[in-house]
Amino acid sequence: EVQLVESGGGLVQPGGSLRLSCAASGYTFSNYWMSWVRQAPGKGLEWVANIKEDGNEKYYIDSVKGRFTISRDNAKNLLYVQMNSLRAEDTAVYYCTRDGSGTSNNWGQGTPVTVSS
Amino acid sequence: DIQMTQSPSTLSASVGDRVAITCRASENINIWLAWYQQKPGKAPKFLISRASNLESGVPSRFSGSGSGTEFTLTISSLQPDDFATYYCQQHKSYPRTFGQGTKVEIK
């Protein structure tokens, strides 16, 4: 069974940094693209970034380019997103997803990030 | 970016009803359209890819149709477990974009 468990969320001040992790199990992690998708409180879903199986291709939504970095460690079955220069509008639940053909086929439970002073 | 627009935003229906949710893309996305279901406080669940391909384990009362710029998610006979919010997403190009969601509530 595919399991994705996010961690690392919390309260951070504007301009601060946070690194989220996602531990994957139940499948061969290195065979799949992975994504981060977020959901602001009471709002819809927003795709944030994704990364190819070998880590050599990455894509980002414009609003996080230059501030967020997605990465992965295939030896440890871990997905990361390093979030710098955080803004209030980054406040959301962040989901890790295992991708299919451009779709988010499996989702973690999410980790909440609050950017506030 | 490709804009995705869902209608209606809220749909009130009864158990047993046939319901349809529409998703429109701002440009041609061929069949690169997915549907997700989300219940309050839970992660979304993947239902359909490529406009009409039902994910394994998804009940057959769910179906998807359409191509180009207009798509439909249909639930043939609404069940109590189906009251949720539904999102479409284009998976043709980056950035992947979602519709704003359609909440299916009990009438």
Side-chain angles (χ1 to χ4, degrees):
Chain A
E1 179 192 0
V2 174
Q3 283 205 315
L4 301 168
V5 180
E6 302 93 337
S7 60
L11 174 63
V12 61
Q13 292 188 339
S17 298
L18 214 52
R19 186 178 84 157
L20 307 183
S21 301
C22 171
S25 61
Y27 70 101
T28 304
F29 180 69
S30 58
N31 286 354
Y32 290 84
W33 284 73
M34 297 292 293
S35 291
W36 289 98
V37 177
R38 68 185 178 184
Q39 186 168 35
K43 302 297 184 182
L45 301 171
E46 181 177 53
W47 176 88
V48 175
N50 70 353
I51 185 168
K52 193 178 177 182
E53 296 96 328
D54 60 5
N56 286 337
E57 277 186 59
K58 304 173 185 181
Y59 297 91
Y60 299 90
I61 194 171
D62 280 353
S63 60
V64 308
K65 282 180 184 175
R67 301 189 300 121
F68 288 17
T69 302
I70 190 171
S71 62
R72 64 192 296 160
D73 184 335
N74 285 346
K76 296 181 179 178
N77 293 351
L78 288 169
L79 175 72
Y80 303 103
V81 61
Q82 176 68 42
M83 306 187 296
N84 298 330
S85 304
L86 282 161
R87 307 167 179 166
E89 54 264 36
D90 296 317
T91 294
V93 173
Y94 284 74
Y95 295 101
C96 156
T97 79
R98 185 184 82 159
D99 290 1
S101 300
T103 53
S104 287
N105 292 19
N106 302 91
W107 297 65
Q109 85 288 351
T111 187
V113 171
T114 302
V115 184
S116 174
S117 55
Chain B
D1 297 0
I2 298 174
Q3 305 302 315
M4 307 301 294
T5 305
Q6 291 180 230
S7 60
S9 295
T10 305
L11 189 161
S12 297
S14 302
V15 172
D17 284 353
R18 180 182 182 88
V19 302
I21 299 168
T22 297
C23 177
R24 290 186 173 86
S26 60
E27 61 185 75
N28 184 356
I29 59 169
N30 297 307
I31 61 166
W32 303 108
L33 191 283
W35 290 98
Y36 302 86
Q37 176 195 65
Q38 187 178 32
K39 297 180 181 179
K42 300 293 187 182
K45 176 186 175 183
F46 174 54
L47 297 177
I48 289 171
S49 66
R50 301 184 190 182
S52 61
N53 284 9
L54 212 61
E55 174 73 348
S56 176
V58 174
S60 59
R61 63 181 178 273
F62 289 90
S63 63
S65 62
S67 65
T69 62
E70 188 153 337
F71 302 85
T72 302
L73 173 69
T74 302
I75 308 173
S76 59
S77 177
L78 201 63
Q79 298 303 300
D81 192 48
D82 302 337
F83 291 96
T85 299
Y86 294 85
Y87 294 91
C88 63
Q89 180 208 23
Q90 62 85 14
H91 54 107
K92 177 179 182 286
S93 64
Y94 289 107
R96 309 288 191 220
T97 43
F98 289 89
Q100 81 279 13
T102 294
K103 183 178 181 180
V104 177
E105 61 180 25
I106 300 172
K107 191 172 184 179

